[in-house]
Amino acid sequence: MDNLMKAEWFKLKKDRSLWTLIIILTAVSLFYPLLIVFDDGADSIKVMDFYQNTILQGNNYVIRLVPCILAGFFISSEYSIGTMKTIAASGNSRFHLYFAKLIIYSIGTVLISLIFPVIFTGAASVALNFNGMPEFGYFIGTIGLTILYAIAFASMMALFATIFTDSGKAIGFMLIFFIIFDSALYLLSSVSPIFEVIFNYSVFKLFLDIVNYDTIHSAEMVKLIAVPVITFTAFGILGSILFYKKEIK
């Protein structure tokens, strides 16, 4: 398992799609605060308000959509070019193979998910003269929850990338799925109590509550932490079972 993870980590570091996405998100993080200053002035906006209303809200789309592209190239493309067939024939357990790739892919997703909260916030703080900075505990708490929800979404994307063994099909399906699924689930929740429970305990809904970290009581916090952990475990097991039974050509 250790050698498998080292091999996957080596491939992730060499993955051009990961570095392209990181460079684009970093460029947006560094230059967007300058537009805010030019439009509204440095002293008119508090960093805390900007962090809650722009960075965390915008990161909702980053976490749900951008890693889909990485999944397509880092996971699905290995099926289409024949690399996965060689890996599966190496004699290692397919369970270990899947989780090694899932864990390393999740690390890539976490790196993507932290660009806005860390780099964007740092750039905005400098541009806004550190006016109204968020409390350290609030910042660290939202960062921790962002990591948990990033790996939860990563486990779902890894499963879809394993089902669609073509990078184009995988990316196209996942982008559509993660754009419309939460809205569809929300509509179904309004007409069915079963779907209402599913929606209320889904990562799609709870992820939006990260911004309210400082006002959430203990019971809700347990749910906010437990749901992404359970989601990652459940989709990880589902994906490993699928990979175990999958005929790899």
Side-chain angles (χ1 to χ4, degrees):
M1 186 72 176
D2 184 53
N3 289 334
L4 290 174
M5 291 183 62
K6 288 180 179 177
E8 294 297 334
W9 176 245
F10 177 80
K11 286 189 289 186
L12 181 68
K13 289 192 296 182
K14 298 293 183 181
D15 195 296
R16 293 182 180 179
S17 64
L18 172 67
W19 292 110
T20 301
L21 295 171
I22 287 177
I23 290 171
I24 292 173
L25 291 174
T26 301
V28 172
S29 301
L30 293 176
F31 289 108
Y32 188 81
L34 298 178
L35 298 177
I36 300 298
V37 173
F38 288 142
D39 288 341
D40 301 316
D43 299 326
S44 62
I45 303 174
K46 293 182 179 179
V47 178
M48 178 63 171
D49 296 334
F50 192 76
Y51 181 67
Q52 289 182 316
N53 299 329
T54 301
I55 296 177
L56 290 181
Q57 297 294 341
N59 211 32
N60 171 35
Y61 298 100
V62 171
I63 289 182
R64 292 192 305 162
L65 302 180
V66 177
C68 296
I69 301 172
L70 177 62
F73 288 105
F74 185 65
I75 300 176
S76 298
S77 64
E78 288 202 339
Y79 290 94
S80 57
I81 64 178
T83 304
M84 190 59 74
K85 183 178 181 179
T86 304
I87 295 174
S90 64
N92 291 290
S93 162
R94 285 201 176 191
F95 179 83
H96 289 163
L97 287 171
Y98 185 83
F99 268 92
K101 184 167 284 292
L102 172 59
I103 291 170
I104 298 303
Y105 167 68
S106 298
I107 292 174
T109 300
V110 168
L111 292 176
I112 291 171
S113 73
L114 292 182
I115 293 175
F116 269 25
V118 176
I119 297 178
F120 205 159
T121 302
S125 299
V126 173
L128 300 175
N129 296 326
F130 301 96
N131 177 33
M133 292 290 290
E135 293 183 2
F136 183 73
Y138 176 83
F139 179 72
I140 294 300
T142 53
I143 289 290
L145 289 173
T146 297
I147 292 174
L148 282 180
Y149 280 81
I151 65 172
F153 284 118
S155 67
M156 302 169 69
M157 295 169 188
L159 173 66
F160 293 138
T162 304
I163 294 174
F164 296 95
T165 53
D166 177 85
S167 58
K169 294 178 181 176
I171 293 171
F173 173 82
M174 285 188 284
L175 288 177
I176 294 173
F177 176 85
F178 284 103
I179 287 174
I180 68 173
F181 183 75
D182 58 334
S183 298
L185 193 58
Y186 174 74
L187 290 175
L188 290 172
S189 70
S190 63
V191 297
S192 169
I194 295 176
F195 284 105
E196 183 179 7
V197 172
I198 295 174
F199 178 70
N200 289 333
Y201 282 85
S202 71
V203 291
F204 294 93
K205 192 264 184 182
L206 293 175
F207 176 69
L208 301 176
D209 293 337
I210 291 178
V211 68
N212 302 318
Y213 173 81
D214 54 345
T215 60
I216 296 175
H217 57 76
S218 56
E220 286 296 313
M221 184 58 67
V222 170
K223 183 171 73 172
L224 203 60
I225 294 173
V227 168
V229 174
I230 293 172
T231 301
F232 176 82
T233 305
F235 277 90
I237 293 173
L238 281 175
S240 65
I241 293 173
L242 173 67
F243 185 67
Y244 178 78
K245 295 183 176 181
K246 191 177 186 64
E247 181 183 0
I248 302 175
K249 300 179 180 178

